[in-house]
Amino acid sequence: MNRGIMGEQTQQSQLQSPELTLNDKTCTAIPQVGFGTFQIPPEDTQRAVEEALEIGYRHIDTAAAYYNEQQVGDALRATGMAGKVWVTTKLRNCDQGYDAARVAFDESRRKLGVDVIDMYLIHWPFPAAGFYEETWRALLRLRDEGAIRVPGVSNFLPEHLRAIIEDSGEAPAVNQVEVHPRFNQPGLRAYCKAHGIAVEAYSPLGHGKDIMSDPVQAAAAAHGVTAGQVVLRWHTQEGRIVIPKSKHVERMRENLVAGLGAGAAEGGFDLTPAELAAIDALDDPHANVSADPATFTHSQSWADQHVRGNI
Ligand SMILES: NC(=O)c1ccc[n+]([C@@H]2O[C@H](COP(=O)([O-])OP(=O)(O)OC[C@H]3O[C@@H](n4cnc5c(N)ncnc54)[C@H](OP(=O)(O)O)[C@@H]3O)[C@@H](O)[C@H]2O)c1
C-alpha cells in the first residue's frame, strides 16, 4: 500500500513505516508504526496529527471515546490526506449491540470525513453487557458492505476471542492490546499467533516508564539510539504493530525511525536475539498500566449505558 505523500511536501524526504500484511480476507497491508492520539486534548489534536503526517506517519489511531475524531478528521481534511492514510477508530462500550454499533460507526465516519474506515475496533469486550458477539457480527457486516476494510477488536482476552470465533466463524485480523516490556502478555500473544491474529501494541512504551529498565538502557547505549527507540524496535522486530503517542515532534520522528531495520537509511537498527530475550524477560503480569479487560465496565459514558439500558 503506498498511500501517497502530502501535496507540497513531496519534495522532502519523508520517513516511511514498514508494512505488515494482515491475515484478513484481502491480506491488507497496514503501516506497522502508527501515531496514537489518546489523551491529546481535542484542541491540540489537529496540530499533532498534521505534524505526524508531515513527518511521514501514514497510520493514525483514534477512538470515539477519545473525543478527538473530529479533530483527526480536520487534520486529514486540511492536509488533503483523507482516504489516503490508514485510520483506525474504535466503538465505545456504550455503543455495543448490532444496531447501535452501526449508528455509532456512521457518526465516526462522518467526523473523520472518510467513506471507508481502514480499521474499526470494538474498544473493550465489556463482558458485563454481553453484547460483544453481536457487535462483532455487525462489524463483519459493515466489512462485507465495504464500509470497513479491516474489522478488529481491542482488549480481547483469549476467552473473548474464542467466543467471537465460535459465534461468527471468523477471527479478527487484529487485537489491539496493552503490550510493553514490563507487561508483555506472552500467553495472550501466543493465543493470537496461533489464530493468525496480529497484535497491535497500545501503550507500547508503558507510558514512557519502561524505557528506564536495565536491558533497554544497555541496548540503547550499544546501538547509539534512544531507549524509546529500543522499546519500539523490540515490538516491531517481534512482529507487532505499534501506535506510540507523543506531543513532541522530535519524539514523533524518533518513534517512526524505530520501525526501520538495519538495512534502512535514516538510522534503522536491529536488536540482537539476546537483547530481545532480555526485554521479553522483564514481563510482570501485574505491571499493566490500563484496566483489566475481564472486568472493565466503567468509563466510556457509563451514564449513556444506563440510559440505553445496557446495564
Ligand atoms: N485500545 C485501548 O484501550 C488503548 C488504551 C490506551 C492507548 N491506546 C492507544 O495507544 C496509543 C499509545 O498509548 P499511550 O499513549 O497510552 O502510551 P505510550 O505511547 O506508551 O506512551 C506515551 C507516553 O510516552 C512518552 N513518549 C513518547 N515517545 C517517547 C520517547 N521516544 N521517549 C520517551 N518518552 C516518550 C509520551 O510523552 P510526550 O507526549 O510528552 O512525548 C507519553 O507520556 C494511544 O495514544 C492510543 O492511540 C489504546
Side-chain angles (χ1 to χ4, degrees):
M1 180 186 72
N2 183 349
R3 294 303 201 89
I5 315 220
M6 292 172 77
E8 295 301 308
Q9 276 118 23
T10 46
Q11 309 307 325
Q12 295 178 9
S13 108
Q14 285 184 320
L15 293 168
Q16 221 176 352
S17 166
E19 296 182 336
L20 272 191
T21 301
L22 299 175
N23 192 26
D24 64 323
K25 282 189 172 174
T26 51
C27 298
T28 308
I30 182 172
Q32 194 175 7
V33 182
F35 181 65
T37 64
F38 181 42
Q39 290 174 333
I40 300 182
E43 62 274 20
D44 297 336
T45 300
Q46 180 175 349
R47 177 196 50 77
V49 172
E50 287 183 14
E51 285 170 349
L53 292 171
E54 189 165 338
I55 288 166
Y57 284 87
R58 292 294 176 268
H59 169 172
I60 309 296
D61 184 85
T62 181
Y66 301 169
Y67 297 99
N68 62 13
E69 286 174 312
Q70 181 70 42
Q71 291 75 18
V72 170
D74 289 342
L76 296 173
R77 284 179 282 273
T79 55
M81 296 298 272
K84 295 183 182 159
V85 293
W86 184 280
V87 178
T88 297
T89 192
K90 315 184 192 83
L91 179 80
R92 292 187 306 175
N93 288 351
C94 59
D95 292 318
Q96 282 206 24
Y98 193 91
D99 294 329
R102 293 182 64 95
V103 173
F105 172 79
D106 272 337
E107 182 66 8
S108 289
R109 186 162 61 164
R110 187 187 62 72
K111 287 180 176 161
L112 290 165
V114 293
D115 294 330
V116 178
I117 290 187
D118 296 289
M119 190 151 78
Y120 194 55
L121 307 178
I122 303 175
H123 205 145
W124 292 85
F126 190 19
F131 288 151
Y132 67 86
E133 288 154 310
E134 64 178 80
T135 303
W136 175 240
R137 276 185 263 123
L139 266 57
L140 292 178
R141 181 68 197 264
L142 285 162
R143 187 268 320 274
D144 292 344
E145 292 169 4
I148 298 174
R149 292 177 75 202
V150 178
V153 298
S154 177
N155 293 298
F156 272 45
L157 300 174
E159 70 223 51
H160 310 123
L161 293 166
R162 198 173 298 118
I164 59 170
I165 294 169
E166 279 173 18
D167 180 68
S168 70
E170 189 169 335
V174 173
N175 189 12
Q176 184 185 114
V177 290
E178 179 179 343
V179 182
H180 44 91
R182 293 192 55 248
F183 187 71
N184 66 60
Q185 305 225 60
L188 176 57
R189 289 192 287 120
Y191 185 93
C192 289
K193 188 173 181 191
H195 290 81
I197 303 168
V199 171
E200 180 169 33
Y202 79 65
S203 304
L205 298 161
H207 288 178
K209 289 185 197 137
D210 290 15
I211 62 176
M212 300 314 295
S213 60
D214 289 347
V216 171
Q217 292 287 331
H223 293 277
V225 297
T226 71
Q229 288 180 309
V230 167
V231 171
L232 294 171
R233 188 71 190 122
W234 165 74
H235 283 291
T236 56
Q237 263 183 260
E238 292 190 344
R240 289 183 289 282
I241 304 157
V242 285
I243 44 172
K245 167 255 163 192
S246 179
K247 295 191 296 258
H248 300 100
V249 172
E250 273 321 304
R251 281 180 173 174
M252 288 181 195
R253 194 184 307 277
E254 76 174 56
N255 293 347
L256 188 53
V257 169
L260 304 173
E266 312 272 9
F269 66 100
D270 288 337
L271 298 170
T272 65
E275 288 168 334
L276 294 171
I279 300 174
D280 286 337
L282 293 171
D283 182 51
D284 167 358
H286 304 294
N288 51 308
V289 296
S290 189
D292 178 353
T295 53
F296 181 74
T297 57
H298 66 289
S299 177
Q300 302 203 326
S301 300
W302 175 261
D304 282 4
Q305 292 164 20
H306 242 319
V307 169
R308 297 165 68 95
N310 286 354
I311 48 173

